[in-house]
Amino acid sequence: MGESDDLVVAEETDNQGPLRPSQRQQQILMQVIDQGSVRNEDLAERFGVSVMTILRDVTALDRQGLLRRTRGGASVQPSALFESSVTVRLESQAAHKRTIARAALRHVEPGQAILLDDSTTGIHFARLLRDAGPATVISNFLPVLSELKGGQGIRLIGLGGTYHEAGDAFLGGMTVDAIRSLSVDLAVLSTSAITAGTCYHQTHDTVSFKRAMMDVAAKRILYVDHTKFERRALHALAPLTDFDVVIVDERTPEPVLKELHERQVTVEVAKAG
């Protein structure tokens, strides 16, 4: 075996034995999800590989939309221009999202037509709704459609358009046109960030889609965990007062709740259990 082959073996090995690049990348992603952000040097030390190898791994994960490559490292923290991937968002605040989804389900009446967006809280909502039909569910989000497929009394309508792999959803003009041809009982959606009583998102396509959802619904529910009040995004969606109810989790700070009440937002705090 030559010197270059020795280097390859060394760079594919950690304390538990050889790792394939795909295995190492999965572990990198899990570490970034757990910590929020990491440095390339720290990853190189953990896996016993070069910084250049880690850089290739991070670049591959960035291209898949699973994390965001930063100067000297990687992050899954959303920014004004970057939304975390479905994989990351589903892991984040999962317990709170389940509690919020359970609270939202109490607003559903049998036989309603319900629009669900591409939020990961909607995955938890769909899991609960599957056993609480009958209902007609319309969504652009493949994980939601998969959760509800085959549910007793559940009629599914999928919204087409341009597929976005990182979000596992369809967006764009075709999606908006499809929504605007409907009239539904309930729209249940989330948002990326809330600032000064207004919802924001990182992309205009998402804003156009969610505005269309709100326009065709007789009742609008927004569900958000407490972290959304700590974030910023670029494009304004709507003021919170445009929703019939805003459902938050128990970790939402009291000053935030006070501000929402002062803005005359109808707020419901979802209680665990």
Side-chain angles (χ1 to χ4, degrees), residues 103-210:
L105 189 69
R106 299 189 188 106
H107 293 268
V108 175
E109 298 178 10
Q112 284 189 321
I114 306 167
L115 256 174
L116 296 180
D117 67 355
D118 53 348
S119 69
T120 50
T121 304
I123 298 175
H124 299 288
F125 182 82
R127 289 170 181 168
L128 297 169
L129 183 62
R130 179 184 173 89
D131 298 321
T136 296
V137 181
I138 307 105
S139 183
N140 69 325
F141 194 27
L142 289 180
V144 159
L145 298 175
S146 295
E147 289 290 341
L148 290 169
K149 183 175 61 176
Q152 184 69 32
I154 300 295
R155 179 189 180 209
L156 286 179
I157 299 176
L159 298 169
T162 302
Y163 178 67
H164 290 244
E165 185 171 356
D168 207 8
F170 296 93
L171 292 170
M174 291 176 63
T175 315
V176 170
D177 289 345
I179 292 173
R180 294 201 179 279
S181 68
L182 303 171
S183 178
V184 303
D185 299 299
L186 182 63
V188 188
L189 57 151
S190 187
T191 190
S192 294
I194 297 174
T195 305
T198 297
C199 303
Y200 287 83
H201 278 274
Q202 286 86 353
T203 70
H204 188 265
D205 274 350
T206 301
V207 166
S208 297
F209 164 70
K210 298 198 180 194

Side-chain angles (χ1 to χ4, degrees), residues 4-255:
S4 60
D5 292 328
D6 289 338
L7 178 61
V8 170
V9 171
E11 292 198 343
E12 295 295 326
T13 306
D14 70 0
N15 293 331
Q16 298 176 334
L19 282 178
R20 295 192 299 272
S22 60
Q23 293 174 316
R24 187 175 57 246
Q25 288 167 18
Q26 182 65 25
Q27 291 188 26
I28 289 171
L29 179 59
M30 291 302 102
Q31 182 170 338
V32 182
I33 289 173
D34 183 59
Q35 298 180 7
S37 60
V38 294
R39 296 172 63 250
N40 290 338
E41 288 82 357
D42 294 337
L43 292 172
E45 181 177 353
R46 174 193 167 182
F47 291 103
V49 300
S50 70
V51 172
M52 286 303 298
T53 296
I54 293 298
L55 184 59
R56 287 195 294 270
D57 289 336
V58 168
T59 299
L61 292 167
D62 179 272
R63 287 173 178 166
Q64 296 174 60
L66 296 173
L67 51 69
R68 177 165 49 102
R69 179 179 163 185
T70 61
R71 185 186 296 272
S75 174
V76 291
Q77 301 292 352
S79 69
L81 295 174
F82 175 84
E83 173 67 295
S84 303
S85 72
V86 172
T87 302
V88 173
R89 288 186 285 131
L90 189 59
E91 293 288 336
S92 175
Q93 307 300 325
H96 296 300
K97 289 177 180 178
R98 283 192 294 270
T99 300
I100 292 167
R102 193 158 42 244
L105 189 69
R106 299 189 188 106
H107 293 268
V108 175
E109 298 178 10
Q112 284 189 321
I114 306 167
L115 256 174
L116 296 180
D117 67 355
D118 53 348
S119 69
T120 50
T121 304
I123 298 175
H124 299 288
F125 182 82
R127 289 170 181 168
L128 297 169
L129 183 62
R130 179 184 173 89
D131 298 321
T136 296
V137 181
I138 307 105
S139 183
N140 69 325
F141 194 27
L142 289 180
V144 159
L145 298 175
S146 295
E147 289 290 341
L148 290 169
K149 183 175 61 176
Q152 184 69 32
I154 300 295
R155 179 189 180 209
L156 286 179
I157 299 176
L159 298 169
T162 302
Y163 178 67
H164 290 244
E165 185 171 356
D168 207 8
F170 296 93
L171 292 170
M174 291 176 63
T175 315
V176 170
D177 289 345
I179 292 173
R180 294 201 179 279
S181 68
L182 303 171
S183 178
V184 303
D185 299 299
L186 182 63
V188 188
L189 57 151
S190 187
T191 190
S192 294
I194 297 174
T195 305
T198 297
C199 303
Y200 287 83
H201 278 274
Q202 286 86 353
T203 70
H204 188 265
D205 274 350
T206 301
V207 166
S208 297
F209 164 70
K210 298 198 180 194
R211 281 180 181 163
M213 288 182 64
M214 296 172 66
D215 288 345
V216 303
K219 182 176 180 178
R220 308 158 176 173
I221 294 176
L222 180 76
Y223 42 23
V224 289
D225 67 76
H226 63 280
T227 64
K228 304 301 172 63
F229 296 96
E230 305 164 359
R231 298 173 180 171
R232 303 184 69 86
L234 185 62
H235 300 277
L237 169 60
L240 295 180
T241 49
D242 281 2
F243 295 91
D244 294 278
V245 61
V246 176
I247 302 175
V248 301
D249 65 46
E250 291 180 291
R251 288 190 61 187
T252 304
E254 282 299 327

